[in-house]
Short mmCIF file of all heavy atoms in Angstrom, two decimals:
data_model
loop_
_atom_site.label_atom_id
_atom_site.label_comp_id
_atom_site.label_asym_id
_atom_site.label_seq_id
_atom_site.Cartn_x
_atom_site.Cartn_y
_atom_site.Cartn_z
N THR J 4 0.86 -1.19 0.00
CA THR J 4 0.00 0.00 0.00
C THR J 4 0.89 1.23 0.00
O THR J 4 1.90 1.26 0.71
CB THR J 4 -0.86 0.02 1.29
OG1 THR J 4 -1.41 -1.29 1.47
CG2 THR J 4 -1.96 1.05 1.21
N GLU J 5 0.53 2.22 -0.81
CA GLU J 5 1.28 3.48 -0.79
C GLU J 5 0.68 4.38 0.28
O GLU J 5 -0.54 4.55 0.34
CB GLU J 5 1.24 4.14 -2.17
CG GLU J 5 2.04 3.36 -3.20
CD GLU J 5 2.17 4.06 -4.53
OE1 GLU J 5 1.51 5.09 -4.72
OE2 GLU J 5 2.95 3.58 -5.38
N VAL J 6 1.55 4.93 1.13
CA VAL J 6 1.08 5.78 2.24
C VAL J 6 1.88 7.08 2.24
O VAL J 6 2.97 7.15 1.67
CB VAL J 6 1.27 5.06 3.60
CG1 VAL J 6 0.44 3.79 3.68
CG2 VAL J 6 2.75 4.73 3.85
N PRO J 7 1.35 8.13 2.88
CA PRO J 7 2.14 9.37 2.98
C PRO J 7 3.42 9.12 3.79
O PRO J 7 3.47 8.20 4.62
CB PRO J 7 1.20 10.33 3.72
CG PRO J 7 -0.15 9.71 3.65
CD PRO J 7 0.03 8.24 3.51
N ILE J 8 4.42 9.96 3.58
CA ILE J 8 5.68 9.83 4.31
C ILE J 8 5.43 10.16 5.79
O ILE J 8 4.80 11.18 6.10
CB ILE J 8 6.74 10.80 3.72
CG1 ILE J 8 7.09 10.36 2.30
CG2 ILE J 8 8.00 10.83 4.58
CD1 ILE J 8 7.80 11.39 1.49
N PRO J 9 5.90 9.28 6.73
CA PRO J 9 5.72 9.58 8.16
C PRO J 9 6.31 10.96 8.49
O PRO J 9 7.38 11.31 8.01
CB PRO J 9 6.50 8.46 8.85
CG PRO J 9 6.57 7.36 7.85
CD PRO J 9 6.59 8.00 6.51
N GLU J 10 5.57 11.72 9.34
CA GLU J 10 5.99 13.10 9.64
C GLU J 10 7.39 13.16 10.23
O GLU J 10 8.17 14.06 9.92
CB GLU J 10 4.98 13.76 10.60
CG GLU J 10 3.70 14.17 9.89
CD GLU J 10 2.68 14.73 10.86
OE1 GLU J 10 3.08 15.17 11.95
OE2 GLU J 10 1.48 14.73 10.52
N ASP J 11 7.70 12.20 11.13
CA ASP J 11 9.01 12.26 11.79
C ASP J 11 10.17 11.98 10.84
O ASP J 11 11.34 12.14 11.18
CB ASP J 11 9.07 11.29 12.98
CG ASP J 11 8.84 9.85 12.55
OD1 ASP J 11 8.25 9.65 11.47
OD2 ASP J 11 9.25 8.92 13.28
N MET J 12 9.87 11.54 9.60
CA MET J 12 10.93 11.26 8.62
C MET J 12 11.05 12.35 7.57
O MET J 12 11.94 12.29 6.71
CB MET J 12 10.66 9.92 7.91
CG MET J 12 10.85 8.70 8.80
SD MET J 12 10.56 7.18 7.85
CE MET J 12 11.98 7.16 6.74
N ALA J 13 10.17 13.34 7.58
CA ALA J 13 10.10 14.33 6.49
C ALA J 13 11.44 14.99 6.22
O ALA J 13 11.89 15.08 5.06
CB ALA J 13 9.04 15.38 6.82
N ALA J 14 12.14 15.46 7.28
CA ALA J 14 13.42 16.18 7.08
C ALA J 14 14.47 15.25 6.49
O ALA J 14 15.20 15.61 5.56
CB ALA J 14 13.90 16.75 8.41
N GLU J 15 14.53 14.01 7.01
CA GLU J 15 15.53 13.03 6.53
C GLU J 15 15.26 12.67 5.07
O GLU J 15 16.19 12.59 4.25
CB GLU J 15 15.45 11.78 7.41
CG GLU J 15 16.60 10.80 7.17
CD GLU J 15 16.44 9.50 7.95
OE1 GLU J 15 15.33 9.19 8.42
OE2 GLU J 15 17.45 8.79 8.06
N VAL J 16 13.97 12.48 4.74
CA VAL J 16 13.61 12.13 3.35
C VAL J 16 14.01 13.27 2.41
O VAL J 16 14.58 13.04 1.33
CB VAL J 16 12.10 11.83 3.24
CG1 VAL J 16 11.67 11.76 1.78
CG2 VAL J 16 11.78 10.52 3.96
N GLU J 17 13.75 14.50 2.83
CA GLU J 17 14.09 15.66 1.99
C GLU J 17 15.60 15.71 1.73
O GLU J 17 16.05 15.93 0.60
CB GLU J 17 13.63 16.94 2.71
CG GLU J 17 13.55 18.13 1.75
CD GLU J 17 12.93 19.35 2.43
OE1 GLU J 17 11.94 19.18 3.20
OE2 GLU J 17 13.44 20.44 2.19
N GLU J 18 16.37 15.46 2.79
CA GLU J 18 17.84 15.51 2.68
C GLU J 18 18.36 14.44 1.70
O GLU J 18 19.14 14.73 0.79
CB GLU J 18 18.45 15.29 4.08
CG GLU J 18 19.98 15.27 4.08
CD GLU J 18 20.53 14.60 5.35
OE1 GLU J 18 19.81 14.51 6.37
OE2 GLU J 18 21.70 14.16 5.31
N TRP J 19 17.85 13.20 1.87
CA TRP J 19 18.37 12.11 1.03
C TRP J 19 17.82 12.19 -0.39
O TRP J 19 18.49 11.78 -1.33
CB TRP J 19 18.06 10.75 1.68
CG TRP J 19 19.03 10.47 2.79
CD1 TRP J 19 18.82 10.65 4.12
CD2 TRP J 19 20.38 10.01 2.65
NE1 TRP J 19 19.95 10.32 4.83
CE2 TRP J 19 20.92 9.92 3.95
CE3 TRP J 19 21.18 9.67 1.57
CZ2 TRP J 19 22.23 9.50 4.20
CZ3 TRP J 19 22.48 9.24 1.80
CH2 TRP J 19 23.00 9.17 3.11
N ARG J 20 16.61 12.73 -0.56
CA ARG J 20 16.07 12.90 -1.92
C ARG J 20 16.91 13.93 -2.67
O ARG J 20 17.25 13.76 -3.84
CB ARG J 20 14.60 13.33 -1.87
CG ARG J 20 14.01 13.52 -3.27
CD ARG J 20 12.52 13.77 -3.23
NE ARG J 20 12.05 14.44 -4.44
CZ ARG J 20 11.80 13.83 -5.59
NH1 ARG J 20 11.97 12.54 -5.70
NH2 ARG J 20 11.37 14.52 -6.63
N ALA J 21 17.30 15.01 -1.96
CA ALA J 21 18.14 16.04 -2.59
C ALA J 21 19.49 15.44 -3.00
O ALA J 21 20.00 15.71 -4.09
CB ALA J 21 18.36 17.20 -1.62
N LYS J 22 20.05 14.57 -2.12
CA LYS J 22 21.34 13.92 -2.45
C LYS J 22 21.20 13.01 -3.66
O LYS J 22 22.08 12.94 -4.52
CB LYS J 22 21.83 13.09 -1.25
CG LYS J 22 22.42 13.92 -0.12
CD LYS J 22 22.93 13.01 0.99
CE LYS J 22 23.48 13.83 2.14
NZ LYS J 22 23.86 13.02 3.29
N LEU J 23 20.06 12.29 -3.73
CA LEU J 23 19.82 11.39 -4.86
C LEU J 23 19.74 12.19 -6.16
O LEU J 23 20.41 11.87 -7.16
CB LEU J 23 18.51 10.62 -4.64
CG LEU J 23 17.91 9.89 -5.86
CD1 LEU J 23 18.84 8.79 -6.35
CD2 LEU J 23 16.55 9.29 -5.54
N ILE J 24 18.95 13.28 -6.15
CA ILE J 24 18.78 14.08 -7.37
C ILE J 24 20.11 14.72 -7.77
O ILE J 24 20.46 14.78 -8.95
CB ILE J 24 17.66 15.12 -7.18
CG1 ILE J 24 16.32 14.37 -7.09
CG2 ILE J 24 17.63 16.13 -8.33
CD1 ILE J 24 15.13 15.22 -6.82
N GLU J 25 20.90 15.11 -6.77
CA GLU J 25 22.21 15.71 -7.06
C GLU J 25 23.14 14.68 -7.72
O GLU J 25 23.80 14.95 -8.72
CB GLU J 25 22.83 16.21 -5.75
CG GLU J 25 24.03 17.10 -5.98
CD GLU J 25 24.59 17.64 -4.66
OE1 GLU J 25 23.87 17.64 -3.65
OE2 GLU J 25 25.75 18.04 -4.67
N SER J 26 23.15 13.45 -7.17
CA SER J 26 24.00 12.38 -7.75
C SER J 26 23.60 12.09 -9.19
O SER J 26 24.45 11.90 -10.06
CB SER J 26 23.85 11.07 -6.96
OG SER J 26 24.18 11.26 -5.64
N VAL J 27 22.29 12.06 -9.43
CA VAL J 27 21.79 11.76 -10.78
C VAL J 27 22.09 12.92 -11.72
O VAL J 27 22.51 12.72 -12.87
CB VAL J 27 20.27 11.49 -10.69
CG1 VAL J 27 19.66 11.46 -12.07
CG2 VAL J 27 20.01 10.18 -9.99
N ALA J 28 21.92 14.16 -11.21
CA ALA J 28 22.14 15.35 -12.05
C ALA J 28 23.61 15.46 -12.46
O ALA J 28 23.91 15.89 -13.57
CB ALA J 28 21.70 16.60 -11.30
N GLU J 29 24.52 15.04 -11.57
CA GLU J 29 25.95 15.08 -11.91
C GLU J 29 26.25 14.24 -13.14
O GLU J 29 27.21 14.48 -13.86
CB GLU J 29 26.78 14.49 -10.74
CG GLU J 29 27.08 15.49 -9.66
CD GLU J 29 27.80 14.82 -8.48
OE1 GLU J 29 28.32 13.71 -8.66
OE2 GLU J 29 27.82 15.41 -7.40
N TYR J 30 25.41 13.24 -13.35
CA TYR J 30 25.67 12.29 -14.43
C TYR J 30 25.13 12.76 -15.78
O TYR J 30 25.52 12.27 -16.82
CB TYR J 30 25.05 10.94 -14.05
CG TYR J 30 25.45 9.85 -14.99
CD1 TYR J 30 26.75 9.32 -14.96
CD2 TYR J 30 24.57 9.37 -15.95
CE1 TYR J 30 27.13 8.35 -15.84
CE2 TYR J 30 24.95 8.39 -16.84
CZ TYR J 30 26.23 7.88 -16.78
OH TYR J 30 26.63 6.92 -17.66
N ASP J 31 24.18 13.71 -15.73
CA ASP J 31 23.51 14.12 -16.97
C ASP J 31 23.47 15.65 -17.03
O ASP J 31 22.88 16.30 -16.17
CB ASP J 31 22.08 13.53 -16.95
CG ASP J 31 21.38 13.69 -18.28
OD1 ASP J 31 21.40 14.81 -18.82
OD2 ASP J 31 20.79 12.71 -18.77
N ASP J 32 24.10 16.24 -18.06
CA ASP J 32 24.22 17.71 -18.15
C ASP J 32 22.85 18.41 -18.18
O ASP J 32 22.65 19.45 -17.56
CB ASP J 32 25.02 18.11 -19.40
CG ASP J 32 26.47 17.66 -19.26
OD1 ASP J 32 26.87 17.38 -18.12
OD2 ASP J 32 27.17 17.59 -20.29
N THR J 33 21.89 17.82 -18.93
CA THR J 33 20.56 18.45 -19.02
C THR J 33 19.91 18.51 -17.65
O THR J 33 19.30 19.51 -17.26
CB THR J 33 19.64 17.60 -19.96
OG1 THR J 33 20.43 17.04 -20.98
CG2 THR J 33 18.54 18.45 -20.54
N LEU J 34 20.07 17.40 -16.90
CA LEU J 34 19.47 17.36 -15.56
C LEU J 34 20.19 18.33 -14.63
O LEU J 34 19.57 18.90 -13.73
CB LEU J 34 19.54 15.95 -14.98
CG LEU J 34 18.70 14.86 -15.67
CD1 LEU J 34 18.69 13.60 -14.82
CD2 LEU J 34 17.26 15.31 -15.87
N MET J 35 21.50 18.51 -14.85
CA MET J 35 22.28 19.43 -14.00
C MET J 35 21.73 20.86 -14.14
O MET J 35 21.55 21.55 -13.15
CB MET J 35 23.76 19.37 -14.41
CG MET J 35 24.69 20.15 -13.50
SD MET J 35 24.64 19.58 -11.80
CE MET J 35 26.04 18.51 -11.75
N GLU J 36 21.41 21.24 -15.38
CA GLU J 36 20.84 22.59 -15.60
C GLU J 36 19.49 22.71 -14.88
O GLU J 36 19.22 23.68 -14.18
CB GLU J 36 20.64 22.84 -17.10
CG GLU J 36 21.94 23.12 -17.82
CD GLU J 36 21.76 23.17 -19.33
OE1 GLU J 36 20.63 23.48 -19.78
OE2 GLU J 36 22.74 22.90 -20.05
N LYS J 37 18.65 21.67 -15.05
CA LYS J 37 17.34 21.67 -14.38
C LYS J 37 17.51 21.72 -12.87
O LYS J 37 16.74 22.37 -12.16
CB LYS J 37 16.56 20.40 -14.75
CG LYS J 37 15.83 20.47 -16.08
CD LYS J 37 14.88 19.28 -16.17
CE LYS J 37 13.97 19.40 -17.38
NZ LYS J 37 12.95 18.36 -17.40
N PHE J 38 18.52 21.01 -12.37
CA PHE J 38 18.77 20.92 -10.93
C PHE J 38 19.07 22.31 -10.36
O PHE J 38 18.57 22.68 -9.29
CB PHE J 38 19.93 19.95 -10.66
CG PHE J 38 20.32 19.82 -9.21
CD1 PHE J 38 19.49 19.15 -8.32
CD2 PHE J 38 21.50 20.35 -8.73
CE1 PHE J 38 19.83 19.02 -6.97
CE2 PHE J 38 21.85 20.24 -7.39
CZ PHE J 38 21.01 19.56 -6.51
N PHE J 39 19.89 23.09 -11.10
CA PHE J 39 20.24 24.44 -10.61
C PHE J 39 19.05 25.40 -10.72
O PHE J 39 18.86 26.26 -9.88
CB PHE J 39 21.46 24.99 -11.36
CG PHE J 39 22.74 24.34 -10.91
CD1 PHE J 39 23.60 23.74 -11.83
CD2 PHE J 39 23.09 24.30 -9.56
CE1 PHE J 39 24.77 23.13 -11.41
CE2 PHE J 39 24.27 23.70 -9.15
CZ PHE J 39 25.11 23.11 -10.07
N ASP J 40 18.24 25.20 -11.78
CA ASP J 40 17.07 26.09 -11.95
C ASP J 40 16.00 25.76 -10.90
O ASP J 40 15.56 26.62 -10.15
CB ASP J 40 16.46 25.93 -13.36
CG ASP J 40 17.43 26.45 -14.41
OD1 ASP J 40 18.36 27.19 -14.02
OD2 ASP J 40 17.29 26.08 -15.59
N ASP J 41 15.59 24.48 -10.89
CA ASP J 41 14.55 24.06 -9.94
C ASP J 41 14.61 22.53 -9.81
O ASP J 41 14.14 21.81 -10.71
CB ASP J 41 13.17 24.49 -10.46
CG ASP J 41 12.05 23.94 -9.58
OD1 ASP J 41 12.35 23.48 -8.45
OD2 ASP J 41 10.88 23.97 -10.02
N PRO J 42 15.19 22.02 -8.70
CA PRO J 42 15.33 20.55 -8.54
C PRO J 42 14.01 19.82 -8.67
O PRO J 42 13.97 18.67 -9.12
CB PRO J 42 15.90 20.39 -7.13
CG PRO J 42 16.50 21.71 -6.79
CD PRO J 42 15.72 22.75 -7.54
N ASN J 43 12.89 20.46 -8.32
CA ASN J 43 11.59 19.78 -8.38
C ASN J 43 11.06 19.63 -9.81
O ASN J 43 10.07 18.95 -10.04
CB ASN J 43 10.56 20.53 -7.53
CG ASN J 43 10.94 20.48 -6.06
OD1 ASN J 43 11.51 19.48 -5.61
ND2 ASN J 43 10.66 21.54 -5.32
#
């Protein structure tokens, strides 16, 4: 079942999601540009 992210994990999830997107963006120039403009 898909459920909302537990409240007590929100900050940790945000931190690790940002790290994931950064790692992926490093690998692809187009994504890197998008990452600097707006990671979302």
